[in-house]
Amino acid sequence: MKIAVDAMGGDNAPEAIVAGVERARDEFLDTEFILYGDRSQIDPLLHKTERITLVQADEVIDMNDEPVRAIRRKKNSSMVLAATAVKKGEADALFSCGNTGALLAAGLLLVGRIKGIARPGLVSTLPVVSGDGSFNLLDSGANADGKPEQLYQYALLGKYYATSVRGIENPRIGLLNNGTEPHKGSKLTLEAHQLIAADDSINFVGNVESRDLLDGVCDVVVADGFTGNAVLKAIEGTASSVMHLLKDSIMNAGIGGKVGALLLKSSLNQIKAKMDQSQYGGAVLLGAQAPVVKAHGASDSETVYYTVKQIKSMIDGQMLPKFTEYFSAQQAAAAKKDDQPEG
Amino acid sequence: MKIAVDAMGGDNAPEAIVAGVERARDEFLDTEFILYGDRSQIDPLLHKTERITLVQADEVIDMNDEPVRAIRRKKNSSMVLAATAVKKGEADALFSCGNTGALLAAGLLLVGRIKGIARPGLVSTLPVVSGDGSFNLLDSGANADGKPEQLYQYALLGKYYATSVRGIENPRIGLLNNGTEPHKGSKLTLEAHQLIAADDSINFVGNVESRDLLDGVCDVVVADGFTGNAVLKAIEGTASSVMHLLKDSIMNAGIGGKVGALLLKSSLNQIKAKMDQSQYGGAVLLGAQAPVVKAHGASDSETVYYTVKQIKSMIDGQMLPKFTEYFSAQQAAAAKKDDQPEG
């Protein structure tokens, strides 16, 4: 498998990208990489070029660029060149730590949608705090306005993702709602609930509330991109605020408090590790013709390594062929149904 | 001022309600209360009946009752009798720790809307974790489907609320969105942004993201009720999960960890106090013809006391007359505009 990497995206590029890719290359012997970026910066960082190809990119899309315009105008940027390679079939997946909006636009406009998918959705992975494991949330921000049919497709996409990448045989799918009762919800979630519940191939656990997500009420949470994004950021922000509050409180607690913190060090580190998302890799645009993967802008080499591992799971797990097969069969069935005379 | 209290709502009713009301009665000498509920349960709990009237209610609306049906059928329930007293002008505010949906229905159907308000919104109060103070979030769940004009009205309602109850002269109003840039958002938030930004009487700080709310980016956060509810519950759930994780981690950390926890006890208690919402009182249905206030089902007497204090601020701060004056002036201006010939 070959992965096209935007080597210039993110706060720690290209150092963290190159280091993470080299670690992954050394461990996963069936992976090859094309790194797009500034050769003069990347070359000195590379220990060996085995299974790594460098392609010069003269431009970089930065965090302040307007996404769609950047994709259209910065034709020689590391991100656009990497996306174009995937589009042409020269690589199997696209990976960047850069501008999220631009990467989503590159996924939609350059890599393209799978036939039958209305709107690809962004899937994020979060920790289950009260136990082991993690859960997926999609759409976590690709589309600000959701439709019931899209939420239904997210349930299907999430199911294949959890199966392929996380090895969960029959993942529990929940619909994010403002109450667990089936009659609760907005116009959007009430209709989406019906669609998802009607599909027997989905292990639907019904409505779930955002306060229960970290307890692991389901494996995949389906939401419209606006709410999904708001919930994702509320979880991240709250976890970070509480941890900061704890830190400040310890700093101001005098000698006794500092000794206490030392004695509790391993406990505090465990919590930090649990909340740390680097091991979960990046967010994936599901429904694009190849994995389009965005890791956090602040990613270090470890996150880059884990994200490559995650991409490898998607490819090894045959996620894309499964998507394509499923949605083209669905389309064919729908077309056949439309052709039949009524009654 | 006279407050109608549903003495039977919530997990700790009627004990916590009676104790909280008595404490408030002793402290706030201008308050009177009508307690609705089962006399045989309430009577033995009351220390003195000064400024407290008991009214027998034969029924209770419980947590499993379907809200609108319960309000229509349980005519002799403590909640319906209390709401009816407010509707008739026999009391100035309605307070319950019971079924949220039923209380919202009682507010809309019995107490009624202020003329000119499309949909009353539920305002919640949350702590600013990284500093002092708190912020308000509305709509935190009264209406699952929001419209731009409703979000604009929430901005106005939130402004008067923060001014009256929290004494903030020119509260900073933010619009919950999936990015801070003005061009970001859903169809709903893009339109709402325009409406709020066009009103010079609002101190609009623009779009805010859910990850920054606990840092105090603004005093009032405006959202549609679906997203507001999801964000509120995500914040509550995450704070609770992280605190539990910390507790479990300490329990499993052996002797050293337990000594550390003892030394850090005051720090940990500070954090708990900060995240504890009881001091902020209840959620208020803004836009109803009187304060309709819901405290948490698990409220203890302290929360009940603080909620009475909060209700007193609304009445002392003339919040309702201000609402009524503002929205009827707006309506009159709109009607006048409609009457004028074009051009």
Side-chain angles (χ1 to χ4, degrees):
Chain A
M1 67 187 72
K2 201 178 273 184
I3 301 170
V5 179
D6 166 12
M8 307 305 285
D11 308 339
N12 305 317
E15 293 79 2
I17 318 285
V18 171
V21 162
E22 288 214 288
R23 181 177 161 198
R25 183 262 332 266
D26 292 343
E27 187 170 327
F28 310 125
L29 300 179
D30 58 348
T31 55
E32 290 177 58
F33 300 87
I34 319 177
L35 298 190
Y36 296 84
D38 179 0
R39 289 194 75 118
S40 70
Q41 286 185 62
I42 299 169
D43 249 338
L45 300 167
L46 264 183
H47 291 86
K48 53 179 181 176
T49 57
E50 188 192 341
R51 288 181 278 124
I52 293 181
T53 309
L54 281 194
V55 176
Q56 172 65 24
D58 297 332
E59 293 172 291
V60 175
I61 293 177
D62 66 37
M63 291 321 218
N64 300 317
D65 275 318
E66 197 285 309
V68 174
R69 189 164 24 189
I71 292 302
R72 292 207 170 119
R73 298 208 181 154
K74 291 191 167 174
K75 299 279 188 206
N76 289 315
S77 62
S78 50
M79 190 190 284
V80 169
L81 290 176
T84 307
V86 175
K87 179 198 175 77
K88 288 183 182 163
E90 294 163 12
D92 305 301
L94 170 59
F95 173 26
S96 174
C97 302
N99 183 318
T100 307
L103 187 66
L104 293 176
L108 292 174
L109 302 175
L110 298 177
V111 176
R113 286 177 297 139
I114 292 171
K115 214 176 157 183
I117 298 279
R119 292 285 198 123
L122 194 65
V123 63
S124 294
T125 308
L126 289 108
V128 170
V129 170
S130 65
D132 284 331
S134 55
F135 68 95
N136 291 117
L137 170 64
L138 89 156
D139 176 17
S140 60
N143 304 293
D145 293 285
K147 294 207 175 101
E149 297 72 25
Q150 291 165 16
L151 268 61
Y152 169 47
Q153 289 194 334
Y154 296 154
L156 292 163
L157 290 167
K159 177 191 155 182
Y160 286 109
Y161 180 83
T163 309
S164 304
V165 176
R166 297 168 56 207
I168 303 172
E169 200 153 317
N170 197 14
R172 297 162 301 149
I173 314 284
L175 176 66
L176 187 70
N177 211 343
N178 57 358
T180 52
E181 306 89 334
H183 67 267
K184 280 234 177 176
S186 62
K187 203 168 165 295
L188 172 65
T189 54
L190 285 168
E191 287 184 36
H193 187 107
Q194 298 290 329
L195 291 172
I196 301 172
D199 187 332
D200 290 339
S201 78
I202 296 174
N203 180 10
F204 186 42
V205 298
N207 297 331
V208 296
E209 291 196 275
S210 59
R211 73 154 65 88
D212 301 322
L213 300 184
L214 297 184
D215 292 335
V217 281
C218 58
D219 300 305
V220 176
V221 182
V222 170
D224 69 276
F226 189 86
T227 314
N229 189 262
V231 165
L232 175 70
K233 288 173 178 166
I235 291 174
E236 289 175 350
T238 306
S240 155
S241 290
V242 174
M243 293 304 284
H244 271 105
L245 190 60
L246 183 63
K247 210 176 146 189
D248 289 351
S249 187
I250 290 171
M251 296 301 283
N252 297 323
I255 290 290
K258 289 198 185 67
V259 173
L262 263 177
L263 292 170
L264 271 181
K265 201 171 176 188
S266 81
S267 291
L268 298 177
N269 283 340
Q270 268 173 37
I271 296 175
K272 218 175 140 192
K274 181 79 127 182
M275 299 309 295
D276 177 16
Q277 286 169 44
S278 68
Q279 58 176 312
Y280 302 117
V284 186
L285 185 68
L286 292 183
Q289 293 210 10
V292 173
V293 184
K294 164 71 170 80
H296 206 281
S299 293
D300 56 14
S301 65
E302 188 159 333
T303 309
V304 171
Y305 161 80
Y306 277 112
T307 308
V308 171
K309 194 172 171 183
Q310 173 194 20
I311 293 172
K312 184 172 148 57
S313 309
M314 285 184 259
I315 297 173
D316 285 344
Q318 300 279 318
M319 185 179 80
L320 259 293
K322 282 180 193 161
F323 281 168
T324 314
E325 190 186 340
Y326 184 89
F327 287 101
S328 47
Q330 260 208 340
Q331 280 228 309
K336 201 173 164 191
K337 207 171 156 194
D338 286 347
D339 280 349
Q340 282 177 349
E342 303 248 341
Chain B
M1 69 188 71
K2 203 177 270 182
I3 301 170
V5 179
D6 166 12
M8 307 305 286
D11 307 340
N12 305 317
E15 293 79 3
I17 318 285
V18 171
V21 162
E22 288 214 290
R23 181 178 161 197
R25 183 263 329 269
D26 292 342
E27 187 169 328
F28 309 126
L29 301 179
D30 59 345
T31 54
E32 290 177 57
F33 300 88
I34 318 176
L35 299 190
Y36 295 83
D38 180 359
R39 289 193 76 118
S40 69
Q41 286 186 62
I42 298 169
D43 250 337
L45 299 167
L46 263 184
H47 291 86
K48 53 179 181 177
T49 56
E50 188 193 340
R51 287 179 277 122
I52 292 181
T53 309
L54 282 194
V55 175
Q56 171 65 26
D58 296 333
E59 294 173 289
V60 175
I61 293 177
D62 67 36
M63 291 321 218
N64 300 316
D65 275 318
E66 197 284 309
V68 175
R69 189 164 24 187
I71 291 302
R72 294 211 169 116
R73 299 209 181 153
K74 290 192 167 174
K75 298 279 187 206
N76 288 314
S77 62
S78 50
M79 190 190 282
V80 168
L81 290 176
T84 308
V86 175
K87 180 199 175 76
K88 288 184 182 161
E90 294 164 9
D92 305 302
L94 170 60
F95 172 25
S96 175
C97 302
N99 183 318
T100 308
L103 187 67
L104 294 177
L108 291 174
L109 302 176
L110 299 177
V111 177
R113 288 178 295 139
I114 292 171
K115 214 176 157 183
I117 298 279
R119 291 288 199 121
L122 194 65
V123 63
S124 294
T125 308
L126 290 108
V128 170
V129 170
S130 66
D132 284 330
S134 57
F135 68 95
N136 292 116
L137 170 64
L138 90 158
D139 177 16
S140 60
N143 304 293
D145 292 286
K147 294 206 174 101
E149 296 73 23
Q150 292 165 16
L151 269 62
Y152 169 47
Q153 290 195 333
Y154 296 155
L156 292 164
L157 290 167
K159 177 192 155 183
Y160 286 109
Y161 180 82
T163 309
S164 305
V165 176
R166 297 167 58 209
I168 303 173
E169 201 153 319
N170 196 15
R172 296 163 301 149
I173 315 283
L175 176 67
L176 187 71
N177 211 344
N178 58 357
T180 53
E181 305 89 333
H183 68 266
K184 279 235 177 174
S186 62
K187 205 168 162 296
L188 173 65
T189 55
L190 285 168
E191 286 184 38
H193 187 108
Q194 299 290 329
L195 290 173
I196 301 172
D199 187 332
D200 289 339
S201 78
I202 296 174
N203 180 9
F204 186 43
V205 300
N207 296 331
V208 297
E209 290 196 275
S210 60
R211 73 154 64 88
D212 301 321
L213 301 185
L214 297 184
D215 292 335
V217 281
C218 58
D219 300 305
V220 176
V221 182
V222 170
D224 69 276
F226 189 86
T227 314
N229 189 263
V231 164
L232 175 71
K233 289 172 178 167
I235 291 174
E236 288 175 352
T238 307
S240 155
S241 290
V242 174
M243 293 304 285
H244 271 106
L245 189 60
L246 183 63
K247 208 175 146 190
D248 289 352
S249 186
I250 290 172
M251 296 300 283
N252 297 324
I255 292 290
K258 287 198 185 68
V259 172
L262 263 177
L263 292 169
L264 270 182
K265 203 172 175 187
S266 80
S267 293
L268 299 176
N269 282 342
Q270 270 173 36
I271 296 175
K272 220 177 138 190
K274 180 80 128 183
M275 298 309 294
D276 177 16
Q277 286 169 42
S278 68
Q279 57 175 314
Y280 303 117
V284 186
L285 185 67
L286 292 184
Q289 292 209 12
V292 173
V293 185
K294 165 70 170 81
H296 206 281
S299 293
D300 55 15
S301 65
E302 188 161 333
T303 310
V304 171
Y305 161 80
Y306 277 112
T307 309
V308 172
K309 196 174 170 181
Q310 173 194 22
I311 293 172
K312 185 172 146 56
S313 311
M314 283 184 260
I315 297 174
D316 285 343
Q318 300 280 317
M319 186 180 80
L320 258 293
K322 282 180 193 161
F323 281 170
T324 313
E325 189 186 342
Y326 183 90
F327 287 102
S328 45
Q330 261 209 339
Q331 279 228 311
K336 201 171 164 190
K337 208 171 155 193
D338 285 348
D339 280 351
Q340 283 177 348
E342 303 249 340

